[in-house]
């Protein structure tokens, strides 16, 4: 049997079959007549224990080359293991060291490193248990997300990464330009963008929503899943400059159906990861945060709380807690408030709706009170906001008013406004930050540790 992954070997237990594995050495122990080594190939957390007997032809040549980090190809027989730690092991009949890893230089020799240090060796950290598990969980979650939407006939749409529109009007964007930095063309004291690559100012997208809406207003339910960029100056454990976002947009859908979908979606993907990544989840539960699995199970079971912003403010005021950011109607909820509501008041996820229009984007549908908009944020314990969404303003006149109120120029949104002019429909959607989700699932404290190559304020190591 060729080409078996270690994961398959543990599952199928092909006893007394000759098999070949390829992977990297994790540990080695020598005893009198043989050598134990543990090999990992990335397919699962567990290492396969290999026994190399000293009557192997090239024993004395290869043993010194078997060091942590070396890559290796081993053929042999799978047998039941007499040891306590593993059910099966591999008795080697052929061993080939493919690439050596000089022990003096290989930093992963040492057993434990801090996550901060591992960030500086982002090219090697996927070889550790934690980062291997994160990669597998990210993979499973990506699949579950597509599966959820595909099973429900949502169309996957690729919205642009380079954009000429500033989605929310206020988002901090990265500019995309080929203008020479040392000699920027100026015309009338302003940068002359006519000389730039696109002949106008362009940026990296902060959200695919506006473009997503154009497809929802033609194809029905759609979703995007792609990279997003925000020049966030906030140096927090929850913000990246480059992150992935999932943004469904649903036609003929109001805020209530939007909340239903968000809740069903979260529960579906959490269930998926618990069912499909038990070994990795068990690792996070033992090594990172021992409340994780229990927490996720409760979230799947319980109905989310749904309250209006005004009620949330009342709850926070009633608590008499001395928050760093004082609470009064009109403030944007800070992470301390979000955590208090989900961890102390309700002890479960909370969906907050009907926020003051001043603190939300121009495209959110205005309520009849003319003060609040149909926004919805999904907050979860430990993390705060994980999803932000809304029902969109579908009335052309009201939308123009909102654009002007926010000091934006309606001309810049001419195509967006036309969606309201021609066959306008009630529609809603939300954005889930993929890395926030992975943080939530794994219990990892810092968002920089749940994306392979983190980019954050003043930090781009790779
Ligand atoms: P926050 O208040 O936490 O900054 P936001 O209101 O800016 O979030 P939205 O614009 O609603 O967030 O974006 C939708 C989702 O994208 C958020 O709920 C969050 O999960 C995620 N998100 C937003 N900004 C970032 C970021 N800088 N890094 C990682 N994920 C982010
Ligand atoms: Mn933000």
């Amino acid at each position: 049997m060729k080409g078996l992954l270690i994961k398959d070997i543990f599952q199928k237990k092909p006893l007394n079959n000759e098999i070949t594995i390829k992977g990297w050495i994790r540990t080695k122990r020598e005893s009198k007549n043989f050598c134990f080594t543990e090999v990992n190939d990335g397919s699962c957390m567990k290492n396969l224990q290999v026994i190399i007997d000293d009557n192997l032809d090239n024993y004395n040549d290869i043993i010194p080359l078997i060091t942590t980090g070396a890559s290796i190809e081993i053929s042999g027989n799978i047998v039941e293991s007499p040891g306590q730690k593993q059910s099966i092991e591999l008795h080697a009949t052929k061993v080939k060291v493919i690439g050596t890893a000089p022990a003096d230089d290989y930093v992963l020799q040492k057993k434990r490193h801090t996550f901060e240090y591992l960030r500086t060796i982002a090219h090697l950290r996927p070889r550790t248990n934690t980062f291997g598990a994160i990669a597998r969980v990210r993979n499973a979650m990506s699949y579950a997300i597509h599966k959820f939407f595909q099973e429900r006939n949502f169309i996957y749409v690729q919205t642009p990464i380079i954009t000429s529109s500033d989605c929310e009007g206020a988002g901090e964007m990265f500019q995309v330009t080929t203008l020479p930095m040392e000699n920027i063309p100026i015309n009338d004291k302003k940068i002359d963008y006519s000389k730039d690559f696109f002949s106008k100012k362009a940026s990296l997208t902060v959200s695919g929503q506006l473009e997503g809406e154009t497809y929802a207003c033609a194809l029905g339910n759609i979703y995007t899943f792609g990279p997003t960029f925000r020049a966030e100056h906030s140096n927090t454990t929850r913000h990246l400059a480059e992150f992935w976002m999932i943004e469904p947009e649903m036609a003929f859908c109001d805020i209530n159906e939007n909340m239903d979908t968000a809740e069903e979606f979260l529960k579906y993907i959490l269930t998926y990861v618990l069912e499909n990544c038990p070994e990795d989840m068990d690792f996070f539960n033992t090594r990172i945060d021992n409340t994780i699995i229990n927490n996720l199970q409760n979230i799947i079971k319980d109905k989310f709380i749904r309250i209006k912003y005004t009620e949330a403010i009342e709850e926070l005021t009633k608590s008499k807690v001395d928050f760093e950011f004082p609470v009064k109607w009109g403030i944007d909820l800070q992470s301390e408030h979000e955590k208090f509501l989900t961890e102390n008041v309700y002890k479960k996820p909370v969906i907050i709706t009907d926020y003051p229009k001043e603190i939300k984007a121009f495209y959110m549908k205005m309520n009849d009170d003319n003060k609040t908009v149909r926004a919805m944020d999904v907050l979860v314990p430990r993390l705060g906001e994980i999803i932000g969404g809304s029902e969109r303003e579908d009335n052309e006149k009201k939308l123009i008013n909102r654009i002007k109120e926010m000091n934006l120029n309606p001309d810049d949104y001419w195509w967006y406004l036309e969606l309201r002019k021609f066959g306008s429909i009630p529609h809603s959607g939300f954005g889930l930050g993929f890395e926030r989700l992975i943080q939530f699932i794994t219990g990892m404290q810092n968002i920089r540790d749940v994306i392979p190559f983190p980019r954050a304020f003043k930090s781009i190591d790779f």
Side-chain angles (χ1 to χ4, degrees), residues 83-221:
Q84 297 284 310
K85 274 173 69 189
Q86 62 282 318
S87 56
I88 51 173
E89 60 192 24
L90 177 62
H91 282 195
T93 51
K94 212 166 117 199
V95 178
K96 193 167 129 202
V97 173
I98 297 173
T100 57
D104 294 345
D105 297 344
Y106 189 59
V107 291
L108 294 181
Q109 280 282 347
K110 196 184 133 206
K111 273 273 179 325
R112 276 173 94 74
H113 292 289
T114 63
F115 290 138
E116 286 76 15
Y117 173 70
L118 289 173
R119 258 170 247 152
T120 69
I121 50 163
H123 61 304
L124 294 177
R125 68 177 186 169
R127 300 184 185 196
T128 64
N129 284 339
T130 308
F131 289 88
I134 289 166
R136 286 184 295 268
V137 165
R138 275 184 75 100
N139 171 64
M141 291 318 285
S142 306
Y143 179 70
I145 286 162
H146 282 293
K147 191 160 145 47
F148 175 86
F149 289 120
Q150 293 296 326
E151 283 170 358
R152 285 160 187 75
N153 291 308
F154 282 59
I155 306 276
Y156 175 36
V157 174
Q158 294 76 28
T159 48
I161 287 170
I162 300 176
T163 169
S164 65
S165 82
D166 173 346
C167 174
E168 318 225 335
E172 306 267 355
M173 302 182 92
F174 289 101
Q175 230 176 293
V176 176
T177 179
T178 53
L179 290 177
M181 285 298 146
E182 60 294 340
N183 184 20
I184 294 172
I186 304 285
N187 189 0
D188 214 5
K189 291 192 176 152
K190 284 197 193 128
I191 296 174
D192 184 4
Y193 282 111
S194 71
K195 303 245 161 56
D196 204 350
F197 188 88
F198 298 107
S199 286
K200 62 181 344 194
K201 192 173 171 183
S203 313
L204 294 176
T205 184
V206 294
S207 158
Q209 181 202 318
L210 302 195
E211 292 90 348
E213 281 184 52
T214 66
Y215 273 72
C217 291
L219 290 146
N221 296 343

Side-chain angles (χ1 to χ4, degrees), residues 18-19 51 56-58 74-77 90-95:
E18 162 100 7
I19 58 140
I51 315 244
L56 203 79
D57 296 347
N58 53 352
I74 305 176
S75 303
N77 290 303
L90 177 62
H91 282 195
T93 51
K94 212 166 117 199
V95 178

Side-chain angles (χ1 to χ4, degrees), residues 197-292:
F197 188 88
F198 298 107
S199 286
K200 62 181 344 194
K201 192 173 171 183
S203 313
L204 294 176
T205 184
V206 294
S207 158
Q209 181 202 318
L210 302 195
E211 292 90 348
E213 281 184 52
T214 66
Y215 273 72
C217 291
L219 290 146
N221 296 343
I222 65 102
Y223 68 105
T224 71
F225 186 173
T228 346
F229 307 86
R230 295 189 185 180
E232 306 265 18
H233 289 266
S234 41
N235 200 347
T236 76
T237 54
R238 310 181 307 143
H239 288 93
L240 289 165
E242 177 181 303
F243 62 100
W244 287 65
M245 188 137 77
I246 299 99
E247 295 183 279
E249 190 68 36
M250 292 157 285
F252 308 101
C253 171
D254 67 14
I255 180 101
N256 292 313
E257 294 163 287
N258 200 18
M259 285 192 271
D260 293 343
T261 308
E263 181 168 345
E264 190 192 348
F265 172 55
L266 271 184
K267 288 178 172 172
Y268 179 99
I269 54 184
L270 296 182
T271 306
Y272 187 91
V273 74
L274 288 177
E275 281 173 4
N276 290 277
C277 306
E279 190 194 19
D280 292 324
M281 288 308 298
D282 202 49
F283 172 84
F284 291 119
N285 203 61
T286 9
R287 302 294 286 272
I288 306 293
D289 178 344
N290 62 14
T291 64
I292 291 265

Side-chain angles (χ1 to χ4, degrees), residues 352-365:
I352 302 185
T353 56
D354 304 280
Y355 284 79
K357 63 176 182 186
E358 287 80 11
I359 57 170
K360 288 292 179 186
F362 72 88
Y363 50 71
M364 298 190 181
K365 188 176 174 68

Side-chain angles (χ1 to χ4, degrees), residues 360-407:
K360 288 292 179 186
F362 72 88
Y363 50 71
M364 298 190 181
K365 188 176 174 68
M366 184 70 73
N367 281 317
D368 292 338
D369 63 8
N370 263 320
K371 271 169 37 189
T372 59
V373 290
R374 287 192 199 166
M376 56 156 230
D377 282 2
V378 182
L379 319 179
V380 291
R382 282 191 283 118
L383 201 71
E385 177 183 337
I386 194 166
I387 285 180
S390 68
E391 182 170 343
R392 321 303 188 191
E393 184 56 76
D394 54 349
N395 178 291
E396 191 190 6
K397 285 213 180 69
K398 287 187 185 169
L399 186 56
I400 294 176
N401 282 339
R402 285 292 292 145
I403 291 176
K404 288 182 180 158
E405 253 178 47
M406 305 287 260
N407 287 322

